[in-house]
Amino acid sequence: MTDSLRLHGVVPPLLTPLGPDGEVDVASLRRLVRFQLDAGVHGVFLCGSSGEVALLDPGQRGVVVETAVAEVAGAVPVLVGAVDSGTRQVIAHARAAETLGADAVVVTAPYYVQPHPDEILAHFHAVRDAIGIPVVAYDIPSAVGARLTPDLVERLAETGAVVALKDSSGDLAAFREILRRVPGLPALTGSELFADTAVQLGAAGLVPGLGNVDPAGYLRLYRAAAEGDFAAATAEQDRLARLFSITTVADRGRIGHTAGALGAFKAAVALRGVIADARTGPPLLPLDDAETGRIGALLGELGLGPA
Amino acid sequence: MTDSLRLHGVVPPLLTPLGPDGEVDVASLRRLVRFQLDAGVHGVFLCGSSGEVALLDPGQRGVVVETAVAEVAGAVPVLVGAVDSGTRQVIAHARAAETLGADAVVVTAPYYVQPHPDEILAHFHAVRDAIGIPVVAYDIPSAVGARLTPDLVERLAETGAVVALKDSSGDLAAFREILRRVPGLPALTGSELFADTAVQLGAAGLVPGLGNVDPAGYLRLYRAAAEGDFAAATAEQDRLARLFSITTVADRGRIGHTAGALGAFKAAVALRGVIADARTGPPLLPLDDAETGRIGALLGELGLGPA
Amino acid sequence: MTDSLRLHGVVPPLLTPLGPDGEVDVASLRRLVRFQLDAGVHGVFLCGSSGEVALLDPGQRGVVVETAVAEVAGAVPVLVGAVDSGTRQVIAHARAAETLGADAVVVTAPYYVQPHPDEILAHFHAVRDAIGIPVVAYDIPSAVGARLTPDLVERLAETGAVVALKDSSGDLAAFREILRRVPGLPALTGSELFADTAVQLGAAGLVPGLGNVDPAGYLRLYRAAAEGDFAAATAEQDRLARLFSITTVADRGRIGHTAGALGAFKAAVALRGVIADARTGPPLLPLDDAETGRIGALLGELGLGPA
Amino acid sequence: MTDSLRLHGVVPPLLTPLGPDGEVDVASLRRLVRFQLDAGVHGVFLCGSSGEVALLDPGQRGVVVETAVAEVAGAVPVLVGAVDSGTRQVIAHARAAETLGADAVVVTAPYYVQPHPDEILAHFHAVRDAIGIPVVAYDIPSAVGARLTPDLVERLAETGAVVALKDSSGDLAAFREILRRVPGLPALTGSELFADTAVQLGAAGLVPGLGNVDPAGYLRLYRAAAEGDFAAATAEQDRLARLFSITTVADRGRIGHTAGALGAFKAAVALRGVIADARTGPPLLPLDDAETGRIGALLGELGLGPA
């Protein structure tokens, strides 16, 4: 599937369910993968930011990939985040993912070391040369502190270092510039909130964290947008924007933004009966009962019951 | 040594020499440790930012610690950075370091996940509870994007989560507030450029990356400052500030700040004959010959010949 | 026109033409206003960021407003930026604009003083209470360093402090949240690059700096988008995006981003024969001849000849 | 006094007392100037950030300068902030100050317009060429968003654009680099918290906002440091650091940092009987009674009664 991989559609960045012992809850992950496949997703993305990749050790990453590859069983492409601060570790993650059957790896700019754009380019080339599966560029400046600018994405595409882009920058003008300048590069948006617009403008697909909670919604949105029915896509987007408000129920005076967002996704997926437990990895602190209750109430209002 | 560990003096954050194959150059690392011990350092800090910790894989970290512990042979405390984005990985690094004989681990705030201060606190407590050696707090906002504020350091000290602070914030007012509010906590500065001032104000010691190049200089500075001879300390500081200008010879249009600084440290230590090779880990790009030549010229002017 | 003012359509933020003596070139400004009116704009916005408001003294602001009000002669609403760091000065600018015949003032968050959201709210209320014409909120975090969040815009709208929003944040997700939460508030986008999308999503209008150069283009885009012909709107947007590349011809190693963008707008409008001189106010440095030549060449390629 | 102006010593950035009508309280300002002169200050700085310059209109600035110049009556140099976003307005403020008898003007980088370093340089040169009194460079990145780097300060000094530096960057390493590279340029620190250190390292003087409250304290500190009695200087600094905690009594959930700090300074000076009213200019919100009470209590503990 490697050379012919052409990403498109809804490719949710899957949560990593954890058990009370802090280990990957394999049964829950299987159910989550199955829940997504049943909804019709076009791919799955493991070990992304929504999958708490920055909090997983190599063993956990391996369990996640192995479980997902087995459950997907070739039905759709399996993307795996090879996310780390340095090139060497990213290559190790990427090789492990390839060995376990991933169809592509998803790679951010290096972090902690404040790289120059040419160092970011060298990073992607080194990863690409070290593995036999394609590399997807992952722009997420809020987490890594560096940006994959349109210039840099164009260079990455022209040199064959990457085969696609996942854009979580929130910068629609830059995303659009990439679509214009590098029309041959499939570009997927990580935005939960302008997914309809992105598809209409030429995005190949969607990688919404909220897709964990309501994959059917993003499928409807994607299909409507891809078919040019923008009114329907926008109606769906508006509904999903309302659902996205679960990410703001947590008291920001008590826990961080990441904890609040991922905790809400996990709580919602648990309330829908897909995963057993909403816990997040340390150091992220949990939502409290009242906050979880508000999420449950909103799911009820939106008719999102047990899956 | 654990409970009685009371950090003080010059504790350089050692570079990690790499060979042409990208692996740790063990012989060079031994020589670097010996060079530092011969100069009279009061401790060594492995796997810090100057040690390119963000670019090392777990195997390399192990080789670094094992080599340094063996070479130090109990002469001074060996500190090891247990630096990673999440609590679980930090605990794994910390346990590995403990097993290999480290006397303390040095831990930053979590990164990539944009933690709340209470999550940073939880992180330190979890690490502390998982190991039998002390934890040193490491404030380096330029790399991790979060700050260990005086409030947070005070809470970390009061709850016994950490036994010392390494401050690389560059914020002298905050550092001083910590010295005032938590006088019982040894605080070491990572500043190469106001080391004299920091000691005079009550810092327990110094962790200067430039100490790799000229440990004798920082020893003289520390001793003078600790003895109250501020004029002598400042004269030494002025000389070291001149030496520190090697970190700006690299063309910032071509390589990043981290590459330029660490590459310069490595070039200088190699020119002094202590390590075999100036290469840095990927993705950091190397200095060019002209830049290395300028470093050599400055070493000559300052009389820093072969060690 | 005050109470019935309901902003919509294309409302370009007019450049402030300057003569060799640094004073407002009144004849050029008249021609620029006329050029815009002839193209069919729905309003004009004087003394905005594109009008170099931060570089004009009160006398120049007065000349600008007086000239524009006279030339517009009631044909369309005249908006005037009452932009300054503190409430008192903003009120003075706003009163002056009102006296000179402005239909509304456009107000940013205070700057230099790092205000709390409640202080921003108090600022807008104080301005509103001091004048008899409506206030438009202007979100431009790149210039003022503070953000008008959806929460804050909602409070400003609910309390009647503002009658419209000009959004130059670049954050489409937040803009869309405002459209959803405050549907009664006309929201205009300052984006040159996703104007089509913004209108389609419900934006009342456009405030594109590039509209100085090609108002007809933005009129076509707006009309197409407002009529639901998104394909036509996008085709026009793509052409305008190509034109927008004039903002990047200046060498960023020599002059700043603002100088490069506003200098390019002025050069293009001068090349089209509308204004006499491309000079910008100090301290902004000018484009050089080669850069201006590249702008001329692009105008030629796009068929944008003398107006 | 112009050409021979050589700044040194304690030069407090005076608060601007306001009356219930929002106008400058001239009688209070006179008392504040007198209070400072009686304490022995070496100069006064009007219309700085502590003087709420960003919230004053030109008329108010004039009243402030006129009042201070008259009260000082040549006893010490009078510095006046010519602070604004653009060159033209800064020149206007500077000329007004010169006309009213200022001995020097204090100028920041331009703001709102995101200037290039060469544009900052052009700005200072244009101001210098427009007036007959010297210009002091004012580095305050927290307010203006741009930095006067050591490189830039060196160019400003070499070209004769400025005769001194007021450094409010908080970056001691950079401040020290300036002291080394431009030893002929008097450099004053705006830091309340490492004033002792700055003088010891070669700073010509101090510009502490807290000096409004306790000028005698900073005079003692300065004299001790200048005479080499660092222990005495540090003891005084420690006492002043305790006093500085008044800037943190305000609830940051309710008012901003600037409001909290300047409001505290004004409350303390009012409690000491020097000025009549603690109000700050809009949009800054006031401290509440409980917060003011805590300031009064701390003044009492420190023995700072009616002046």
Side-chain angles (χ1 to χ4, degrees):
Chain A
M1 183 166 289
T2 59
D3 273 355
S4 62
L5 179 73
R6 184 156 181 95
L7 289 175
H8 73 283
V10 180
V11 185
L14 297 192
L15 301 168
T16 301
L18 299 175
D21 58 355
E23 299 298 336
V24 178
D25 175 351
V26 170
S28 285
L29 178 55
R30 275 195 203 122
R31 284 196 301 272
L32 179 59
V33 171
R34 178 55 44 202
F35 175 54
Q36 298 289 329
L37 292 174
D38 289 349
V41 297
H42 303 81
V44 290
F45 172 30
L46 286 307
C47 297
S49 303
S50 293
E52 296 174 54
V53 65
L55 307 178
L56 301 179
D57 66 28
Q60 290 177 310
R61 294 186 189 208
V63 171
V64 166
V65 178
E66 200 165 22
T67 301
V69 166
E71 189 69 21
V72 168
V76 296
V78 175
L79 279 64
V80 175
V83 173
D84 214 316
S85 47
T87 306
R88 187 176 174 102
Q89 305 104 296
V90 169
I91 288 174
H93 296 308
R95 285 181 172 153
E98 180 179 11
T99 300
L100 292 170
D103 294 297
V105 292
V106 184
V107 174
T108 70
Y111 41 92
Y112 197 96
V113 293
Q114 301 155 271
H116 185 277
D118 286 354
E119 292 169 339
I120 297 175
L121 195 69
H123 177 71
F124 277 98
H125 275 279
V127 178
R128 179 68 193 87
D129 292 346
I131 57 174
I133 54 174
V135 175
V136 176
Y138 186 1
D139 189 27
I140 183 160
S142 61
V144 308
R147 188 75 191 274
L148 302 184
T149 61
D151 276 349
L152 198 45
V153 173
E154 188 170 21
R155 290 166 71 194
L156 288 168
E158 283 175 351
T159 55
V162 305
V163 303
L165 168 70
K166 187 212 161 178
D167 178 82
S168 293
S169 70
D171 181 345
L172 185 68
F175 184 65
R176 205 164 178 181
E177 186 178 344
I178 290 167
L179 292 172
R180 275 193 206 97
R181 286 169 59 172
V182 203
L185 186 78
L188 295 86
T189 183
S191 171
E192 274 91 358
L193 297 172
F194 50 79
D196 54 345
T197 298
V199 175
Q200 189 184 23
L201 295 175
L206 312 177
V207 191
L210 188 65
N212 283 280
V213 181
D214 188 12
Y218 278 101
L219 263 293
R220 284 191 297 271
L221 183 157
Y222 173 74
R223 286 175 186 141
E227 291 164 6
D229 185 352
F230 193 68
T234 295
E236 193 62 44
Q237 180 68 81
D238 285 346
R239 198 185 60 82
L240 289 163
R242 195 169 162 217
L243 177 59
F244 192 68
S245 70
I246 61 174
T247 61
T248 61
V249 304
D251 176 1
R252 291 293 306 279
R254 195 175 51 76
I255 71 175
H257 169 77
T258 301
L262 299 186
F265 290 161
K266 284 190 156 178
V269 180
L271 286 164
R272 298 201 69 188
V274 179
I275 67 173
D277 195 320
R279 80 183 53 229
T280 45
L284 303 182
L285 292 173
L287 275 64
D288 64 24
D289 289 349
E291 291 163 349
T292 301
R294 289 174 59 196
I295 291 172
L298 184 59
L299 291 177
E301 287 173 34
L302 292 171
L304 293 168
Chain B
M1 182 166 289
T2 61
D3 272 357
S4 61
L5 179 74
R6 183 151 182 100
L7 290 174
H8 73 282
V10 180
V11 185
L14 297 192
L15 301 169
T16 301
L18 299 175
D21 58 356
E23 298 299 334
V24 177
D25 175 350
V26 170
S28 285
L29 178 55
R30 273 195 204 121
R31 284 195 301 271
L32 179 59
V33 171
R34 177 56 43 202
F35 174 54
Q36 298 288 329
L37 293 173
D38 289 350
V41 297
H42 303 82
V44 290
F45 170 30
L46 287 306
C47 297
S49 302
S50 293
E52 297 174 53
V53 66
L55 306 178
L56 302 179
D57 67 28
Q60 290 177 310
R61 295 187 189 207
V63 171
V64 166
V65 179
E66 200 165 22
T67 302
V69 166
E71 189 69 22
V72 169
V76 297
V78 175
L79 280 64
V80 175
V83 173
D84 213 316
S85 48
T87 307
R88 187 177 174 100
Q89 304 106 294
V90 169
I91 288 174
H93 295 308
R95 284 179 173 156
E98 181 178 12
T99 300
L100 292 170
D103 295 298
V105 290
V106 184
V107 174
T108 70
Y111 41 91
Y112 196 97
V113 294
Q114 300 156 271
H116 185 278
D118 286 355
E119 292 169 338
I120 297 174
L121 196 69
H123 177 71
F124 276 97
H125 276 278
V127 178
R128 179 68 193 88
D129 292 346
I131 57 174
I133 55 175
V135 176
V136 175
Y138 185 2
D139 189 28
I140 183 162
S142 60
V144 309
R147 188 76 189 274
L148 302 184
T149 62
D151 277 348
L152 197 45
V153 172
E154 188 170 22
R155 290 165 71 195
L156 287 169
E158 282 175 354
T159 57
V162 304
V163 302
L165 168 71
K166 187 211 162 179
D167 178 82
S168 294
S169 70
D171 181 344
L172 185 68
F175 183 66
R176 206 165 178 181
E177 186 178 344
I178 290 167
L179 292 172
R180 276 194 206 95
R181 286 168 60 171
V182 202
L185 186 78
L188 295 86
T189 184
S191 171
E192 273 92 357
L193 297 173
F194 49 80
D196 54 345
T197 298
V199 175
Q200 189 183 24
L201 295 175
L206 312 177
V207 191
L210 189 63
N212 283 279
V213 180
D214 188 12
Y218 279 101
L219 262 294
R220 283 192 297 270
L221 182 157
Y222 173 74
R223 286 175 186 141
E227 290 164 7
D229 185 352
F230 193 68
T234 295
E236 193 62 44
Q237 180 69 81
D238 286 345
R239 199 184 60 82
L240 289 163
R242 195 169 160 217
L243 178 59
F244 191 68
S245 69
I246 61 173
T247 62
T248 61
V249 303
D251 176 2
R252 289 294 306 279
R254 195 175 51 77
I255 72 175
H257 169 77
T258 300
L262 299 186
F265 290 161
K266 284 190 156 179
V269 181
L271 286 164
R272 299 201 69 189
V274 179
I275 68 173
D277 194 320
R279 79 185 53 230
T280 46
L284 303 182
L285 292 173
L287 274 64
D288 64 25
D289 289 349
E291 291 163 351
T292 300
R294 291 173 59 195
I295 291 173
L298 185 59
L299 291 177
E301 287 173 33
L302 293 172
L304 292 169
Chain C
M1 184 166 286
T2 60
D3 273 357
S4 62
L5 179 75
R6 184 156 181 96
L7 290 174
H8 73 283
V10 179
V11 186
L14 296 192
L15 301 168
T16 301
L18 299 175
D21 58 357
E23 297 300 334
V24 177
D25 175 350
V26 170
S28 285
L29 178 56
R30 275 196 203 121
R31 285 195 301 271
L32 179 59
V33 170
R34 179 55 43 201
F35 174 54
Q36 297 289 327
L37 292 174
D38 289 349
V41 298
H42 304 81
V44 289
F45 171 31
L46 286 308
C47 298
S49 303
S50 292
E52 298 174 52
V53 66
L55 307 179
L56 302 179
D57 66 29
Q60 291 178 308
R61 295 187 189 208
V63 171
V64 166
V65 178
E66 201 165 21
T67 302
V69 166
E71 189 68 23
V72 168
V76 297
V78 175
L79 279 64
V80 175
V83 173
D84 214 316
S85 48
T87 306
R88 187 177 175 100
Q89 304 107 294
V90 169
I91 288 173
H93 295 308
R95 285 180 172 154
E98 180 178 12
T99 300
L100 292 171
D103 295 296
V105 292
V106 184
V107 174
T108 70
Y111 41 92
Y112 197 97
V113 293
Q114 301 156 270
H116 185 277
D118 286 355
E119 292 169 337
I120 297 175
L121 196 67
H123 177 71
F124 277 97
H125 276 277
V127 178
R128 179 68 193 88
D129 292 347
I131 57 174
I133 54 174
V135 176
V136 176
Y138 186 1
D139 188 29
I140 184 162
S142 60
V144 308
R147 188 74 191 273
L148 302 184
T149 61
D151 277 349
L152 197 45
V153 173
E154 188 170 22
R155 290 167 69 194
L156 288 168
E158 283 175 352
T159 56
V162 304
V163 302
L165 168 70
K166 187 211 162 180
D167 177 83
S168 294
S169 70
D171 181 345
L172 185 69
F175 184 66
R176 206 165 178 179
E177 186 177 345
I178 290 167
L179 292 172
R180 275 193 205 96
R181 285 169 59 172
V182 202
L185 186 79
L188 294 86
T189 182
S191 171
E192 275 91 357
L193 297 173
F194 50 80
D196 55 343
T197 298
V199 175
Q200 189 183 23
L201 295 175
L206 312 177
V207 191
L210 188 65
N212 284 279
V213 181
D214 188 11
Y218 279 101
L219 262 295
R220 284 192 296 271
L221 183 157
Y222 173 73
R223 287 175 186 142
E227 291 164 7
D229 185 352
F230 193 69
T234 295
E236 194 62 44
Q237 180 68 83
D238 285 345
R239 198 185 61 82
L240 290 162
R242 196 169 159 216
L243 178 59
F244 191 69
S245 68
I246 61 173
T247 61
T248 61
V249 304
D251 177 1
R252 291 293 308 278
R254 194 175 51 78
I255 71 175
H257 169 77
T258 300
L262 298 187
F265 291 161
K266 285 190 157 179
V269 180
L271 286 165
R272 298 201 69 189
V274 179
I275 67 174
D277 195 320
R279 78 184 55 230
T280 46
L284 303 183
L285 293 173
L287 274 64
D288 63 26
D289 289 348
E291 291 162 351
T292 301
R294 290 172 60 194
I295 291 173
L298 185 58
L299 291 177
E301 288 174 33
L302 292 171
L304 293 168
Chain D
M1 183 166 287
T2 59
D3 273 357
S4 62
L5 179 74
R6 183 154 182 97
L7 291 174
H8 73 282
V10 180
V11 185
L14 296 192
L15 301 169
T16 301
L18 299 174
D21 58 356
E23 298 298 334
V24 177
D25 175 350
V26 169
S28 285
L29 178 56
R30 274 194 204 121
R31 284 196 300 272
L32 179 59
V33 171
R34 178 56 43 203
F35 175 54
Q36 297 289 329
L37 293 173
D38 288 349
V41 297
H42 303 81
V44 290
F45 171 30
L46 287 306
C47 298
S49 303
S50 292
E52 298 174 52
V53 67
L55 307 178
L56 302 179
D57 66 29
Q60 291 177 310
R61 294 187 190 207
V63 171
V64 166
V65 178
E66 201 165 21
T67 302
V69 166
E71 189 69 23
V72 168
V76 296
V78 175
L79 279 64
V80 175
V83 173
D84 213 316
S85 46
T87 306
R88 188 177 174 101
Q89 305 104 295
V90 170
I91 288 173
H93 295 307
R95 285 181 172 154
E98 181 179 10
T99 300
L100 293 171
D103 295 297
V105 291
V106 185
V107 174
T108 70
Y111 42 92
Y112 196 96
V113 294
Q114 300 155 270
H116 184 277
D118 285 356
E119 292 169 339
I120 298 174
L121 195 68
H123 177 72
F124 277 97
H125 275 278
V127 178
R128 179 68 193 87
D129 292 346
I131 57 175
I133 54 174
V135 176
V136 175
Y138 185 1
D139 189 27
I140 183 162
S142 62
V144 308
R147 188 76 191 272
L148 302 184
T149 60
D151 276 348
L152 198 45
V153 173
E154 187 171 22
R155 290 166 70 194
L156 288 169
E158 284 175 352
T159 56
V162 305
V163 303
L165 168 71
K166 187 211 163 181
D167 177 83
S168 294
S169 70
D171 181 345
L172 185 69
F175 184 66
R176 206 166 179 180
E177 186 178 344
I178 290 167
L179 292 172
R180 275 194 205 96
R181 285 169 59 172
V182 202
L185 186 79
L188 294 86
T189 183
S191 171
E192 274 92 358
L193 298 172
F194 50 80
D196 54 344
T197 298
V199 175
Q200 189 183 22
L201 295 175
L206 312 177
V207 192
L210 187 65
N212 284 279
V213 181
D214 188 12
Y218 279 101
L219 263 295
R220 284 192 296 271
L221 182 157
Y222 173 74
R223 287 175 184 140
E227 291 165 5
D229 185 353
F230 194 69
T234 295
E236 194 62 45
Q237 180 68 82
D238 285 345
R239 199 185 59 83
L240 289 162
R242 195 170 160 215
L243 177 59
F244 191 69
S245 70
I246 61 173
T247 62
T248 61
V249 304
D251 176 1
R252 291 293 307 278
R254 194 174 53 75
I255 71 175
H257 169 76
T258 300
L262 298 186
F265 291 161
K266 284 191 157 177
V269 180
L271 286 164
R272 299 200 68 187
V274 180
I275 68 174
D277 195 319
R279 79 184 54 229
T280 46
L284 302 183
L285 293 173
L287 274 65
D288 64 24
D289 289 349
E291 291 162 350
T292 301
R294 290 172 59 194
I295 291 171
L298 184 59
L299 291 176
E301 287 173 33
L302 292 171
L304 292 168

